[in-house]
Amino acid sequence: MLKKISAENIKELRNKTGAGMTDCKRALEDSNGQIDVAIENLRKKGLASADKKSTRMAAEGLVESYIHAGSRIGVLIELNCETDFVARQSVFHKLAKDIAMQIAASQSVRYVSKDQIPESVRLYEEAIETQKDDLKNKPEDIKQKIAKGRSEKRLKELSLMDQAFIKDTNITVEELVKQTIALLGENIIVRRFERFVLGEGLQSRSI
């Protein structure tokens, strides 16, 4: 028996996901009024269009902070979306907090994505790999190929988006963001972040 979809049900789903009213109504109808199933359907429906949304302007959002236990590591992150409405959604806030925690746990991460890594860093990492002892006697073409592969692996270690998500290692941070884009129906961008480590850059006092 088809469950009647009320305005309150639609509003609840919209508040939980940030999806449009029409999409919320259709998702509830398809799931016979089950909120959890409707949320999952909205996520699945939007995944295919997540990449298309990546070019849209995202100038709203929030600045999230995270202080790790012991107060020795702290993170500030700016997460952008398209509208103030989505910026207020609990799903968006949760994403910001999860990414901030990810950054706190990722000691090697320095950039949001690989395409933000300067060419000078790319060349440096490749040169380091080329000069390693185990490649010295390799033919030049083989040496360059191996060095390229190793340096690409290193660049992934520097990139936030390429990290395995700490709460679900089956997906990357990039995939996590895309899932949230699919759910909320707006482009979402990690614009910048800063990771603070207590005493970093200072010499320890000798005893």
Side-chain angles (χ1 to χ4, degrees):
M1 183 178 176
L2 186 64
K3 181 178 178 180
K4 183 179 178 181
I5 308 301
S6 67
E8 287 74 19
N9 295 143
I10 296 172
K11 183 178 179 181
E12 180 184 356
L13 183 58
R14 178 169 166 75
N15 287 338
K16 285 187 174 182
T17 65
M21 297 290 282
T22 302
D23 288 334
C24 287
K25 183 174 185 294
R26 188 176 296 118
L28 285 167
E29 289 171 347
D30 292 344
S31 66
N32 198 25
Q34 298 179 71
I35 294 286
D36 290 343
V37 176
I39 290 174
E40 188 64 26
N41 287 342
L42 284 171
R43 181 180 286 115
K44 289 177 180 177
K45 180 182 176 183
L47 277 175
S49 60
D51 287 334
K52 295 179 183 178
K53 295 182 175 72
S54 65
T55 59
R56 297 191 335 206
M57 176 65 71
E60 295 293 336
L62 56 80
V63 173
E64 181 63 82
S65 63
Y66 172 73
I67 306 297
H68 191 59
S71 300
R72 301 186 67 84
I73 300 175
V75 171
L76 281 175
I77 173 177
E78 179 179 346
L79 188 67
N80 295 142
C81 58
E82 296 178 46
T83 65
D84 183 57
F85 175 78
V86 163
R88 297 195 303 268
Q89 301 304 308
S90 59
V91 173
F92 186 77
H93 283 251
K94 183 178 184 300
L95 176 64
K97 181 64 76 174
D98 281 343
I99 295 177
M101 291 175 66
Q102 178 84 38
I103 294 166
S106 304
Q107 296 181 18
S108 298
V109 165
R110 295 291 182 271
Y111 305 92
V112 173
S113 59
K114 282 198 299 181
D115 59 8
Q116 291 187 5
I117 299 176
E119 185 64 18
S120 59
V121 174
R122 292 175 177 273
L123 293 174
Y124 172 78
E125 292 296 339
E126 196 165 331
I128 289 294
E129 294 299 335
T130 303
Q131 295 167 23
K132 287 190 174 177
D133 289 343
D134 64 335
L135 297 184
K136 282 184 178 179
N137 298 322
K138 301 278 187 185
E140 189 61 28
D141 58 335
I142 300 297
K143 180 192 296 186
Q144 293 299 327
K145 186 176 181 180
I146 295 173
K148 184 75 172 177
R150 289 179 178 178
S151 64
E152 280 298 314
K153 182 179 179 181
R154 171 58 180 161
L155 294 179
K156 282 188 176 183
E157 292 175 357
L158 298 174
S159 164
L160 171 64
M161 289 300 179
D162 285 284
Q163 302 304 301
F165 180 39
I166 53 175
K167 290 186 176 180
D168 180 1
T169 55
N170 292 314
I171 63 172
T172 63
V173 174
E174 182 177 19
E175 289 168 331
L176 172 69
V177 172
K178 284 186 176 180
Q179 286 180 1
T180 311
I181 290 173
L183 183 61
L184 297 179
E186 286 193 8
N187 190 20
I188 296 173
I189 298 171
V190 180
R191 180 166 181 242
R192 54 184 170 172
F193 65 84
E194 195 69 45
R195 186 175 186 271
F196 301 88
V197 179
L198 184 67
E200 189 174 49
L202 300 175
Q203 291 185 338
S204 299
R205 180 180 176 181
S206 299
I207 299 177

